[in-house]
């Protein structure tokens, strides 16, 4: 066996082929159903995520637990190819409001160290149903009208964004 | 199990997986035709013109993808657009603005309704705009569709914006 062939196929080509197939299958399953790669677009999650950054969504994050306040989650639209990435600020059953840029949960001010700039957004109080979370991006320095945020049904949550 | 038999089983499983993927992706003939129509509509919307007459032709072409009594409901804050002519008028007037962005359609699902002449669908429409520095921003929305087959041609009869974040 020539050196080139040996470098490409290894000393046992059949075993190498099996390894390649197994690696391809594991990668396919991992990146399709477990850790879904996404590319952030837009500025609504600044400064946490910049536009163009590559991130992973852990689709199994909420199999044995429920989303928590502060979690950054991926939210599906019609399918998994275009997702919203937002942070959970209020949990099911809670009352959420925002006055002059300050978020309130059940009337108590919410500490949000991840927010760097604040515009005086106002959000009328809403009470979340047992299946709803309230989500917003971290960039509050933009106009509220340019920012998608609000109540999301639990069935829309794809997973937790990591990295 | 011998190695040869194992390879045979793996081959059958791989073939079944490929068959399932092909079946789930292309589905029935009508499903495929509807997807092709939506893709053609996307191409038409993304075609930019500066010529006045071409602009009218483009609006008419876009209108041909919709039924005469189409209803486009963009959700809270805007009145529904009723009728193909109204839609064509809007497409013509907004040409200068729509030329600034590119539309993409993702995650198209089509559900045929028994009878074979109507179908429901959902998709994500993204409107991608490039600013002066070349950076792109994407505004994505989910839409529900109602489609009707008349005279052998599938047309969109209803478009409803779905608010994922309420």
């Amino acid at each position: 066996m020539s050196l080139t062939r040996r470098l490409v196929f290894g000393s046992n080509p059949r075993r190498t082929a099996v390894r390649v197939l197994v690696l391809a299958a594991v990668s396919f399953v991992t990146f399709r159903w477990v850790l879904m790669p996404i590319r952030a677009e837009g500025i609504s999650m600044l400064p946490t995520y910049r536009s163009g950054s590559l991130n992973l969504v852990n689709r199994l994050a909420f199999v044995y637990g429920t989303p928590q306040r502060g979690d950054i989650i991926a939210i599906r639209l019609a399918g998994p190819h275009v997702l919203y990435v937002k942070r959970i600020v209020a949990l099911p059953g809670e009352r959420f409001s925002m006055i002059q840029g300050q978020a309130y949960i059940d009337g108590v001010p919410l500490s949000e160290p991840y927010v760097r700039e604040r515009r005086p957004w106002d959000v009328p109080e809403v009470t979340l149903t047992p299946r709803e979370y309230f989500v917003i991006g971290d960039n509050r320095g933009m106009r509220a009208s340019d920012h998608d945020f609000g109540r999301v049904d639990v069935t829309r949550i794809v997973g937790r964004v990591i990295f | 199990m011998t190695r040869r038999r194992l390879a045979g089983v793996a081959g059958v499983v791989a073939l079944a997986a490929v068959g399932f993927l092909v079946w789930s992706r292309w589905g029935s003939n009508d499903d495929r035709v509807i997807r092709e129509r939506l893709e053609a509509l996307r191409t038409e919307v993304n075609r930019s013109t500066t010529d006045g007459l071409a602009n009218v032709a483009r609006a008419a072409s876009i209108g041909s993808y919709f039924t005469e009594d189409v209803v486009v409901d963009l959700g809270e804050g805007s009145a529904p657009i009723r009728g193909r002519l109204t839609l064509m008028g809007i497409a013509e007037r907004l040409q200068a603005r729509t030329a600034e962005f590119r539309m993409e359609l993702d995650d198209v699902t089509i559900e045929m309704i028994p009878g074979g002449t109507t179908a429901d669908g959902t998709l994500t429409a993204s409107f991608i705009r490039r600013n002066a520095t070349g950076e792109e921003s994407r505004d994505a929305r989910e839409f529900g569709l109602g489609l009707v087959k008349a005279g052998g041609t599938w047309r969109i009869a209803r478009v409803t914006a779905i608010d994922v974040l309420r």
Side-chain angles (χ1 to χ4, degrees):
Chain A
M1 189 184 285
S2 72
L3 182 63
T4 314
R5 282 193 67 172
R6 195 177 171 130
L7 279 173
V8 175
F9 299 109
S11 57
N12 186 336
R14 196 172 287 178
R15 190 177 293 170
T16 304
V18 170
R19 282 177 180 159
V20 168
L21 282 175
V22 168
L23 187 64
V26 169
S27 301
F28 180 77
V29 169
T30 301
F31 291 116
R32 191 175 172 94
W33 286 292
V34 183
L35 291 175
M36 193 167 69
I38 57 168
R39 187 162 64 88
E41 280 187 34
I43 58 170
S44 73
M45 277 303 290
L46 282 173
T48 310
Y49 294 125
R50 298 191 167 280
S51 186
S53 66
L54 280 169
N55 312 102
L56 291 172
V57 177
N58 179 3
R59 300 188 76 166
L60 302 182
F62 304 125
V63 171
Y64 297 109
T66 55
Q68 299 299 311
R69 194 185 334 277
D71 282 349
I72 297 175
I73 57 169
I75 299 159
R76 71 169 177 82
L77 281 80
H81 290 97
V82 181
L83 305 166
Y84 284 130
V85 172
K86 302 287 172 190
R87 189 184 293 273
I88 292 176
V89 290
L91 304 174
E94 292 182 335
R95 287 180 292 121
F96 175 83
S97 64
M98 189 177 279
I99 302 166
Q100 293 289 297
Q102 172 63 56
Y104 293 86
I105 307 296
D106 295 332
V108 179
L110 175 67
S111 169
E112 295 183 284
Y114 41 80
V115 176
R116 297 282 166 82
E117 292 178 54
R118 273 180 218 274
R119 281 204 183 191
W121 294 9
D122 288 311
V123 180
E125 184 173 280
V126 289
T127 302
L128 303 175
T129 70
R131 300 179 54 80
E132 285 180 336
Y133 291 81
F134 202 99
V135 296
I136 321 185
D138 289 353
N139 184 358
R140 314 284 170 77
M142 56 194 293
R143 285 186 304 182
S145 59
D146 292 339
H147 195 120
D148 288 317
F149 63 91
R151 292 173 289 140
V152 64
D153 194 90
V154 66
T155 56
R156 292 275 181 178
I157 298 175
V158 174
R160 184 190 289 134
V161 179
I162 53 175
F163 303 125
Chain B
M1 192 181 279
T2 64
R3 226 178 243 189
R4 185 168 291 182
R5 189 169 288 180
L6 196 65
V9 169
V12 168
V13 170
L15 271 176
V18 169
F20 175 77
L21 277 174
V22 170
W23 173 79
S24 62
R25 187 165 175 82
W26 284 286
S28 70
N29 189 43
D30 277 322
D31 184 296
R32 182 178 52 77
V33 169
I34 291 171
R35 287 171 191 275
E36 285 173 0
R37 289 279 290 168
L38 292 172
E39 179 57 25
L41 172 61
R42 185 193 70 81
T43 305
E44 193 61 52
V45 169
N46 289 340
R47 191 163 61 88
S48 62
T49 65
T50 49
D51 183 323
L53 202 59
N55 194 9
V56 174
R58 176 179 168 274
S61 179
I62 289 173
S64 70
Y65 290 89
F66 297 88
T67 60
E68 279 182 36
D69 58 349
V70 62
V71 177
V72 179
D73 186 355
L74 297 176
E76 213 173 293
S78 56
I81 301 164
R82 294 181 189 280
R84 182 197 288 164
L85 289 175
T86 313
L87 195 64
M88 284 164 56
I90 290 170
E92 195 182 335
R93 281 199 303 278
L94 293 182
Q95 159 60 20
R97 287 176 64 186
T98 56
E100 293 173 5
F101 62 73
R102 185 177 88 246
M103 185 174 82
E104 283 183 5
L105 302 178
D106 289 291
D107 296 320
V108 178
T109 57
I110 303 294
E111 190 183 334
M112 299 303 301
I113 294 170
T117 56
T118 51
D120 286 334
T122 56
L123 55 81
T124 302
S126 302
F127 304 95
I128 299 152
R129 195 172 182 166
R130 191 184 287 270
N131 65 17
T133 61
E135 195 175 315
E136 289 190 337
S137 64
R138 178 188 290 258
D139 184 17
R141 291 197 79 175
E142 181 179 341
F143 290 95
L145 303 177
L147 299 117
V148 176
K149 189 180 188 180
T153 306
W154 282 99
R155 289 194 169 87
I156 300 167
R158 174 181 49 79
V159 181
T160 310
I162 297 168
D163 289 325
V164 175
L165 301 178
R166 300 180 300 274

